[in-house]
Amino acid sequence: MDIVILAVVIAVVVLGAVSGLVIGTRRKKQLPPPPPAAPDITAPPAEPHVGDEAETPSDEERRTIEEVDLPGGGATAVEEPPVVEELPPTAIEVPEPTAGRLVRLRARLSRSQNALGKGLLTLLSREHLDEDTWEEIEDTLLTSDVGVRPTQELVDSLRERVKVLGTRTPAELRGLLREELLKLVGTDMDRVVRTEPDDRKPGIVMVVGVNGTGKTTTTGKLARVLVADGNSVVLGAADTFRAAAADQLQTWGERVGAYTVRGPEGGDPASVAFDAVKEGKEMGSDVVLIDTAGRLHTKTGLMDELGKVKRVVEKQAPLDEVLLVLDATTGQNGLVQARVFAEVVDITGIVLTKLDGTAKGGIVIAVQRELGVPVKLIGLGEGADDLAPFEPEAFVDALIGE
């Protein structure tokens, strides 16, 4: 019994010693740091939306810029708005004067007319002018679009005068040919574009012609001619069928300060023409130029519409000029077109365009003889100032050369 009690006591002592050892060891170990407290998280500023302030609005008191003490003291500097430079208005071009313009363009004209003038001089300079030579002279005139009747008249007159003259020097032949050509071209015709009626303002000019003759371009160039002569111009864009025709005419007008009246694309051309004349009256302009749509002379309906435009315009004032634009390169075909237009509207003058290309100078004689109206303007190139008043003497001199 004593032995059992002794064993129990020893076991309790050993157990106590082991427990103390374990507890001591744990106390020697460093305890881990306590977990940190949850941080205070500050919400980011609100993202500004379109039109919002860049920062989240706050309730703090705000001060104006006048209340803030700036370094250096003194008056508060206020930033001035930037100076914006105004762009200058579109520069208006000054067309070159029309007086003597054809003389200045004479070299360009003569380059395309050698077949007529120089060809005739070469034939007339032959020592013997037999029947074959006179037939060649006739052929030269006919191929230059002079026309049958004018050709016969010129040949008959030349034959008679050469026979009387006898011996012929180059200078005499040139003078002889110049006189005869001037008779056919005509020096006594009134070639002034009538834009200054005595009893009213403005003068009214209507421009007509077939497709592709350069009618709208010619109208724009004619505006430059009139402005160069000191006139104020209103343009009527009555070509409402061709795409961008009104834009083209307006561009020509803006270059020289002319006002353009236009209507909707595909609109009534007579209405546009009527409004153009009305605007011209109200503005006190000197001239109203009306550009009409190009139309084939074989289309009866379109030609009737052209007659309507003329009648509507004349409800406000009579037309002073009706100019027919012809392509000089079409030759005798242009005469057929001219006849039909003359029947529908009373043509008062001819504008020959493209006379610097493959055109033959004889068309001037033929068209005047056919219609009984003068050539008043001729176009000699693509330049803005290449439309010139027709001057018979300068034209004939260009045909026969120096």
Side-chain angles (χ1 to χ4, degrees):
M1 185 69 179
D2 294 333
I3 295 173
V4 173
I5 295 171
L6 181 61
V8 171
V9 172
I10 293 171
V12 171
V13 173
V14 172
L15 180 62
V18 172
S19 299
L21 182 62
V22 172
I23 292 172
T25 303
R26 287 183 176 178
R27 285 178 179 174
K28 291 179 181 179
K29 290 183 179 180
Q30 186 176 2
L31 295 178
D40 295 332
I41 299 176
T42 302
E47 290 291 333
H49 299 288
V50 177
D52 292 346
E53 296 292 334
E55 297 182 357
T56 304
S58 61
D59 296 332
E60 65 178 286
E61 183 179 356
R62 297 173 181 261
R63 291 182 294 170
T64 64
I65 188 169
E66 290 81 3
E67 298 171 338
V68 177
D69 294 331
L70 298 177
T76 302
V78 179
E79 183 179 356
E80 296 183 358
V83 178
V84 180
E85 295 184 2
E86 295 184 2
L87 295 176
T90 303
I92 296 178
E93 300 177 13
V94 179
E96 64 178 68
T98 58
R101 186 180 287 187
L102 185 56
V103 175
R104 295 194 296 274
L105 299 172
R106 185 165 134 188
R108 185 178 303 171
L109 176 62
S110 63
R111 284 198 297 268
S112 61
Q113 311 302 329
N114 292 341
L116 177 57
K118 293 187 177 180
L120 289 177
L121 284 175
T122 301
L123 292 171
L124 291 171
S125 298
R126 290 181 180 178
E127 186 175 353
H128 300 290
L129 297 178
D130 53 15
E131 289 299 321
D132 291 339
T133 301
W134 287 112
E135 287 183 6
E136 288 184 54
I137 292 174
E138 286 186 5
D139 291 341
T140 300
L141 292 168
L142 291 173
T143 55
S144 297
D145 293 329
V146 173
V148 176
R149 290 179 59 187
T151 293
Q152 192 61 51
E153 292 176 14
L154 180 58
V155 170
D156 290 344
S157 180
L158 285 174
R159 275 192 171 196
E160 182 178 350
R161 296 191 64 180
V162 167
K163 184 177 181 180
V164 172
L165 185 63
T167 304
R168 306 169 305 279
T169 65
E172 290 172 334
L173 285 174
R174 181 174 284 103
L176 176 64
L177 184 58
R178 185 178 189 277
E179 291 177 11
E180 294 300 325
L181 287 174
L182 279 175
K183 287 181 183 177
L184 289 180
V185 172
T187 57
D188 57 348
M189 303 181 79
D190 181 11
R191 301 183 187 277
V192 177
V193 179
R194 295 192 297 271
T195 58
E196 300 179 4
D198 297 330
D199 56 342
R200 58 180 168 79
K201 263 190 174 186
I204 305 172
V205 180
M206 188 165 74
V207 183
V208 302
V210 300
N211 301 313
T213 58
K215 193 166 37 51
T216 299
T217 299
T218 298
T219 305
K221 290 182 178 181
L222 178 55
R224 294 180 67 89
V225 169
L226 294 171
V227 169
D229 290 339
N231 297 289
S232 58
V233 178
V234 169
L235 297 173
D239 183 354
T240 59
F241 298 113
R242 184 169 64 87
D247 292 337
Q248 181 184 0
L249 187 64
Q250 184 169 348
T251 300
W252 277 101
E254 289 174 348
R255 291 177 180 175
V256 292
Y259 179 70
T260 303
V261 177
R262 53 188 298 176
E265 186 174 340
D268 182 15
S271 175
V272 176
F274 184 89
D275 290 341
V277 176
K278 182 179 178 182
E279 288 283 346
K281 285 183 175 181
E282 294 176 353
M283 296 172 64
S285 301
D286 297 315
V287 186
V288 174
L289 289 179
I290 301 172
D291 175 37
T292 60
R295 59 201 73 222
L296 292 175
H297 59 286
T298 55
K299 300 295 184 180
T300 305
L302 293 177
M303 295 304 292
D304 290 343
E305 183 182 63
L306 183 62
K308 174 190 172 184
V309 174
K310 181 176 182 290
R311 292 191 299 272
V312 168
V313 169
E314 289 180 330
K315 290 182 179 179
Q316 294 211 55
L319 283 167
D320 299 289
E321 285 278 4
V322 179
L323 297 176
L324 173 64
V325 180
L326 290 178
D327 184 341
T329 62
T330 60
Q332 296 296 313
N333 290 333
L335 299 183
V336 179
Q337 303 168 4
R339 286 191 212 105
V340 178
F341 275 92
E343 293 172 0
V344 176
V345 289
D346 297 326
I347 304 297
T348 59
I350 304 295
V351 182
L352 280 176
T353 63
K354 307 178 186 177
L355 201 56
D356 63 325
T358 58
K360 290 107 175 185
I363 188 63
V364 172
I365 299 170
V367 72
Q368 289 184 153
R369 187 67 64 90
E370 179 68 29
L371 298 181
V373 296
V375 172
K376 295 191 172 184
L377 299 161
I378 58 175
L380 297 171
E382 298 297 328
D385 293 319
D386 288 343
L387 185 71
F390 184 75
E391 302 169 21
E393 291 83 1
F395 178 74
V396 171
D397 288 341
L399 290 184
I400 62 179
E402 298 295 338

